[in-house]
Amino acid sequence: MRRKIPSSTALMAFEAAARHGSFARAAEEMSLTEGAISRQIGRLEAFLGVTLFERVGNRVRLLPNGERYAAQVRESLDRLDRDSQYLMGQPNDGASLDIAIIPTFAMRWLIPRLGRFQRKHPNITVHLAERMEPFVLAGSGFDAAIHFEHPAWTGMRTHQLLHEVLIPVCHPELLAGRKRKTALDELPRLHRRQNPDAWLQYSQETGTPLTNPAIGARYDLHGMLIEAALGGLGVALVPRLYVETELARGSLVAPWPEGKTISKTFCLILPEPIGLSREPIQAFAQWLLDEAKQGL
């Protein structure tokens, strides 16, 4: 069936005029005459059978139908622009992967290791995009996701990578002159907003007394908590796998016991079995699973 799509020139002229609220400014942006912009929009209105602009003398005003259509056209043009630039940036003899991933896991665990994958597979480009919540992988444009285990992934192929074990960490200077057994209750505690009961659960599991586990500043991401701890703002309860480097360097210390409960498990999620996936996905999946085994 033939698609009912207006010309790209008419759509770009309309989007520019709608954004500027002026045919003249749209003409300047597109290096056309104002008359050319007016003709393109007239053709678009005739094609659609809808009036998009109200014309009063030399002035134009976008009508409600035009406002809605302008937003839709702008989104489509932006997506086409991104997709075109994305394709232009791909090597002719290479492949690329689009991976959805939790941002802190990307920054703290995957990206520091990604150079090893690139050295092993120089013709595969890995693109990472932040996704905080589970989503429908099929039709999303992503080849895979790295996320927590969740019922939303039912029907997908999930491969366990690493377990998230929480541990309190702080800047070593915060412990100066304090007894470590009681310091945790005396120092400011930092919280992850999405897990407000973490300190209470930690206190109950480890038998560490905390007078009021809920007191303290709240942050959205574990990455923010880690930076706050490095800045001496308090004690952060974060996954150990995120702070191994800082603990080894001594920029953070962890004199208290780990949490006993594994709160979440990181997984690689694929739409189909590894063996049935494209070769670049197979290569990335196998490398990722091997890296996770070494990190256990």
Side-chain angles (χ1 to χ4, degrees), residues 30 60 78 267:
M30 296 184 65
V60 295
D78 287 345
C267 292

Side-chain angles (χ1 to χ4, degrees), residues 128-206:
L128 302 179
E130 170 191 326
R131 289 296 183 274
M132 292 293 295
E133 300 295 333
F135 59 95
V136 178
L137 187 57
S140 67
F142 290 105
D143 296 295
I146 299 174
H147 216 280
F148 295 125
E149 274 188 326
H150 194 278
W153 303 119
T154 299
M156 300 290 100
R157 300 299 193 275
T158 59
H159 304 269
Q160 290 190 356
L161 298 174
L162 297 161
H163 299 304
E164 180 188 79
V165 178
L166 301 182
I167 187 169
V169 297
C170 71
H171 194 282
E173 291 184 0
L174 285 185
L175 295 177
R178 298 179 185 271
K179 295 181 179 180
R180 297 197 175 190
K181 288 185 178 181
T182 59
L184 191 56
D185 199 28
E186 299 169 354
L187 293 170
R189 286 184 295 280
L190 309 174
H191 303 259
R192 184 168 178 264
R193 196 182 304 275
Q194 292 88 337
N195 193 8
D197 297 328
W199 276 112
L200 175 61
Q201 184 178 353
Y202 174 83
S203 175
Q204 293 171 344
E205 287 181 352
T206 62

Side-chain angles (χ1 to χ4, degrees), residues 230-241:
L230 287 167
L233 298 180
V235 186
L237 190 59
V238 297
R240 174 180 277 280
L241 64 93

Side-chain angles (χ1 to χ4, degrees), residues 6-7 28 38 57-58 65 79 98 102 114 117 121 130 156 160 163 171 175 216 218-219 223 233 236 265:
S7 76
E28 182 180 352
S38 180
N58 293 328
N65 279 338
R79 186 185 306 113
D98 286 275
I102 297 169
L114 206 50
F117 177 77
H121 301 281
E130 170 191 326
M156 300 290 100
Q160 290 190 356
H163 299 304
H171 194 282
L175 295 177
R218 284 162 171 73
Y219 298 83
L233 298 180
T265 301

